[in-house]
Amino acid sequence: MTDLRTPAVIVNFKVYSQVEGEGALRLANTCAAVAEESGVSIAVCPPMPELSLVARDASIPVFSQNVSPRKPGSGTGYTTPSAVKATGAFGTLINHSENRQPAADVGACVDMCHALGVCTCVCAESVEKAKELAAFSPKMVAVEPPELIGGYISVTTANPRIVQDTVAAVEAVDPKVAVLCGAGVKTGQDVKTAIDLGAKGVLLASGVVKAADPEAVLRDLIRYI
Ligand code: G3P
């Protein structure tokens, strides 16, 4: 487990075919190499079946893609905060747009994770939701308009206002919570714009995972940081 500084680039591998099995570790190692040569903080979120493998072998902060507010015990198919901790992962996403949870569960996940020293990045689809979930004091809130996820127009171009407004709204609730933005982020210019808008980094997926040359994309992503 290593530390995560801001500005941060968090690469969510989702469940793309490119990152099944050993592919997850290969891409995590590529991210780690670019992080090391550039000094920029890059974290990865491998698919759940590869979480242990990547958390154990990659020299980069690793996040679970999801967690449930459950204690160890019965709960077939769930991932507990305790299990995330046991993999050696640094943190976890919570409430991703593709895996939403009720607000009360988000709060419970944040508390359970922090009690175990697991970093939290809570996703929100709107300024209002970001404000609501910031009240749980996660380490990070990532605002991602669902309609832009997986697309070719970055949130920083299509809706810069949502980034600025989320930064202001979250700051008013809890200034210690870092705001990230995501959806359609693909280039270094997108990352620069995100930071200029007040974000402390980005959460992205397809731009890296589906790229023909992920290393080249990663180098471009961090060029202005
Ligand atoms: O978790 C990151 C995400 O939902 C954005 O995906 O493919 O638009 O970068 P993408």
Side-chain angles (χ1 to χ4, degrees):
M1 186 193 320
T2 51
D3 202 11
L4 184 73
R5 302 173 310 282
T6 56
V9 173
I10 303 183
V11 183
N12 179 6
F13 291 3
K14 302 199 174 181
V15 292
Y16 288 114
S17 59
Q18 291 89 335
V19 290
E20 289 173 356
E22 292 290 331
L25 188 56
R26 269 198 303 277
L27 183 56
N29 285 337
T30 301
C31 292
V34 174
E36 195 171 332
E37 77 181 22
S38 64
V40 173
S41 222
I42 302 176
V44 297
C45 316
M48 297 309 284
E50 277 70 57
L51 181 63
S52 277
L53 171 75
V54 177
R56 191 191 61 205
D57 289 354
S59 58
I60 196 168
V62 176
F63 280 64
S64 174
Q65 290 187 7
N66 188 35
V67 72
S68 296
R70 288 177 168 255
K71 294 185 176 149
S74 59
T76 304
Y78 287 95
T79 301
T80 63
S82 169
V84 171
K85 171 81 178 175
T87 64
F90 178 81
T92 184
L93 300 182
I94 299 171
N95 194 48
H96 190 275
S97 197
E98 292 148 9
N99 209 333
R100 290 260 179 250
Q101 290 175 282
D105 283 10
V106 173
C109 285
V110 170
D111 289 347
M112 291 174 78
C113 286
H114 289 182
L116 293 163
V118 174
C119 181
T120 52
C121 177
V122 166
C123 301
E125 71 272 31
S126 64
V127 178
E128 276 314 302
K129 187 50 92 171
K131 196 172 160 187
E132 179 190 355
L133 300 181
F136 298 126
S137 295
K139 300 294 180 199
M140 295 172 271
V141 165
V143 65
E144 300 194 312
E147 68 280 9
L148 298 174
I149 290 177
Y152 291 92
I153 303 175
S154 170
V155 60
T156 53
T157 303
N159 193 354
R161 190 71 196 266
I162 197 174
V163 183
Q164 287 174 308
D165 289 355
T166 301
V167 169
V170 169
E171 162 91 22
V173 174
D174 183 345
K176 291 193 297 305
V177 179
V179 173
L180 310 183
C181 65
V185 172
K186 299 265 188 303
T187 68
Q189 184 58 53
D190 297 338
V191 176
K192 180 181 185 310
T193 306
I195 292 167
D196 290 346
L197 291 168
K200 295 280 193 281
V202 295
L203 174 62
L204 81 159
S206 54
V208 170
V209 181
K210 292 171 71 180
D213 185 350
E215 188 169 336
V217 171
L218 284 159
R219 287 221 175 86
D220 177 53
L221 279 168
I222 52 93
R223 70 197 298 183
Y224 298 115
I225 296 181

